[in-house]
């Protein structure tokens, strides 16, 4: 209560909760009454995640790790001359045909003639340009030592894996609402440059063309194919992923036992250990919401 000049008591106005309006007469700037915390809510937006669901979501990461590992295995066998250019071209055609078939079967417009013609036209331009540029790729790094080439290639592949969009596709998928972001484009460029460095150490133009076609098919179109499979049927996505893991582990085991052990531990870390850590860390999440200004999330946290 305050007093006027005559000494009479003046009732203090009731405090109101306002965000913008300056100080209220008779109250400090940081004053709150007993009703201020009535609207406080704890852990209102914390999503409780299921371990099995997180493990299923992590399969996409292991799937792409296997794809990149298979690409590296093809590079190694090609550089060691255990895989000739004719076998590589046959592998390229097999991947191209199977990729076409999967895309057509998972599209809403199944076996559309116009879609097939559009894909074939784009692929023909793509392969023609790649064949013309093959001699340039072959001599591009002739003045650079091989040790530097391998070091840069490994670094670019690690950058590619770190920046890759594991929930989407490297190119816009049919029916997708958004295009790949800048980070995903940087990841694709890193993989392409790594492919060029490896191809520059091959002996013939046909070798370079076959390896570049294989690498670009995988890095550009494999994420699109796996995205379409996952969108079409999640059970088929899991089956395809586990088959790919088995093939990769067998191939690495045939090449080197130590690499097999390292890759097996990496797959277990991604699919088992990391999801378990994420679920355990959920226990320590603590969020308080109340009648005060707070930052608003700009994305859907339920994804």
């Amino acid at each position: 209560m305050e007093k006027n000049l005559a000494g009479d008591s003046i009732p203090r106005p009731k405090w109101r909760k306002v965000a913008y309006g300056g100080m209220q007469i008779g109250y400090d700037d940081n004053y709150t009454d007993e009703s201020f915390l009535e609207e406080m809510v704890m852990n209102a937006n914390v999503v409780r995640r299921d371990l099995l669901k997180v493990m299923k979501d992590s399969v996409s990461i292991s799937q792409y790790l296997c794809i990149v590992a298979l690409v590296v295995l093809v590079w190694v066998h090609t550089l060691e001359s255990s895989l000739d250019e004719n076998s590589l071209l046959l592998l390229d055609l097999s991947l191209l045909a199977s990729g076409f078939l999967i895309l057509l079967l998972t599209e809403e417009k199944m076996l559309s003639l116009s879609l097939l013609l559009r894909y074939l036209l784009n692929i023909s331009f793509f392969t023609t340009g790649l064949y013309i540029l093959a001699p340039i790729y072959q001599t591009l790094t002739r003045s650079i030592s091989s040790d530097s080439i391998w070091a840069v290639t490994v670094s670019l592949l690690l950058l590619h894996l770190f920046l890759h969009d594991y929930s989407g596709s490297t190119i816009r998928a049919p029916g997708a609402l958004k295009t790949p972001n800048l980070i995903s484009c940087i990841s694709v460029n890193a993989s392409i440059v790594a492919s060029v460095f490896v191809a520059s150490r091959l002996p013939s133009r046909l070798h370079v063309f076959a390896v570049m076609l294989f690498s670009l098919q995988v890095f550009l179109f494999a994420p699109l194919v796996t995205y379409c499979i996952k969108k079409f049927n999640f059970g088929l996505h899991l089956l395809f992923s586990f088959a790919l893991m088995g093939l990769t582990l067998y191939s690495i085991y045939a090449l080197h036992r130590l690499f097999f052990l390292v890759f097996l531990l990496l797959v277990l870390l991604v699919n088992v250990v990391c999801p378990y850590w994420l679920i355990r860390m959920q226990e320590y999440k603590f969020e308080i919401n109340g009648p005060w200004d707070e930052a608003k999330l700009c994305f859907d946290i339920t994804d």
Side-chain angles (χ1 to χ4, degrees):
M1 300 290 289
E2 296 181 357
K3 294 184 179 181
N4 57 15
L5 296 178
D8 299 327
S9 298
I10 301 176
R12 187 166 57 170
K14 184 179 180 181
W15 178 80
R16 295 179 300 108
K17 183 182 66 178
V18 293
Y20 307 99
M23 294 180 59
Q24 300 183 47
I25 299 175
Y27 298 95
D28 296 332
D29 188 45
N30 60 349
Y31 176 83
T32 58
D33 67 357
E34 62 278 0
S35 66
F36 184 73
L37 296 180
E38 291 179 356
E39 301 178 19
M40 185 181 71
V41 180
M42 299 174 61
N43 295 336
N45 298 318
V46 174
V47 179
R48 299 300 177 184
R49 303 187 183 276
D50 179 66
L51 178 61
L52 183 60
K53 184 180 183 303
V54 177
M55 292 178 67
K56 288 180 179 179
D57 292 338
S58 65
V59 169
S60 298
I61 302 176
S62 298
Q63 180 194 74
Y64 195 72
L65 289 176
C66 292
I67 290 174
V68 175
L70 288 174
V71 172
V72 174
L73 287 172
V74 170
W75 288 351
V76 170
H77 287 299
T78 305
L79 291 168
E80 292 179 349
S81 300
S82 57
L83 190 63
D84 59 16
E85 58 268 33
N86 294 325
S87 301
L88 273 174
L89 289 174
L90 182 61
L91 177 62
D92 292 340
L93 291 176
S94 302
L95 289 177
L96 189 61
S98 59
F100 264 126
L101 182 62
I102 292 174
L103 287 177
L104 292 174
L105 292 178
T106 55
E107 276 274 11
E108 294 181 359
K109 300 177 181 178
M110 293 181 61
L111 300 178
S112 170
L113 181 60
S114 61
L115 180 66
L116 179 61
L117 291 176
R118 180 163 59 89
Y119 281 155
L120 288 176
L121 184 62
N122 292 336
I123 291 297
S124 62
F125 285 144
F126 178 77
T127 52
T128 303
L130 191 62
Y131 185 78
I132 294 173
L133 294 174
I136 299 176
Y137 296 147
Q138 185 181 4
T139 59
L140 189 63
T141 61
R142 182 172 295 175
S143 60
I144 304 176
S145 66
S146 295
D147 292 340
S148 301
I149 292 296
W150 306 140
V152 174
T153 301
V154 171
S155 302
L156 288 172
L157 284 179
L158 292 177
L159 179 66
H160 169 69
L161 290 172
F162 183 74
L163 299 179
H164 180 71
D165 182 9
Y166 293 94
S167 62
S169 173
T170 52
I171 58 179
R172 184 170 182 175
L177 299 178
K178 60 180 181 178
T179 57
N181 54 28
L182 176 62
I183 300 299
S184 179
C185 294
I186 295 174
S187 173
V188 173
N189 289 331
S191 66
I192 292 174
V193 176
S195 304
V196 172
F197 282 167
V198 173
S200 66
R201 286 300 186 262
L202 295 174
S204 67
R205 172 179 181 173
L206 195 57
H207 262 108
V208 174
F209 170 72
V211 167
M212 285 298 300
L213 182 59
F214 168 78
S215 302
L216 293 179
Q217 278 186 122
V218 173
F219 288 127
L220 289 177
F221 300 111
L224 174 62
V225 172
T226 56
Y227 175 82
C228 291
I229 293 175
K230 183 178 180 180
K231 183 180 176 182
F232 180 74
N233 188 291
F234 191 78
L236 186 61
H237 160 71
L238 292 178
L239 181 63
F240 175 74
S241 300
F242 289 132
L244 195 63
M245 290 180 196
L247 175 62
T248 306
L249 289 172
Y250 173 78
S251 302
I252 296 177
Y253 182 81
L255 179 67
H256 201 284
R257 305 290 174 83
L258 179 60
F259 290 161
F260 165 79
L261 182 60
V262 172
F263 191 80
L264 179 61
L265 292 176
L266 179 61
V267 171
L268 292 176
L269 177 68
V270 171
N271 288 105
V272 179
V273 178
C274 290
Y276 176 74
W277 280 348
L278 179 63
I279 296 299
R280 287 298 305 269
M281 287 189 294
Q282 295 290 313
E283 302 175 3
Y284 303 100
K285 295 191 72 171
F286 188 74
E287 182 184 82
I288 299 177
N289 302 95
W292 46 76
D293 295 335
E294 55 185 58
K296 301 297 182 182
L297 298 176
C298 59
F299 55 89
D300 187 3
I301 62 173
T302 60
D303 290 343

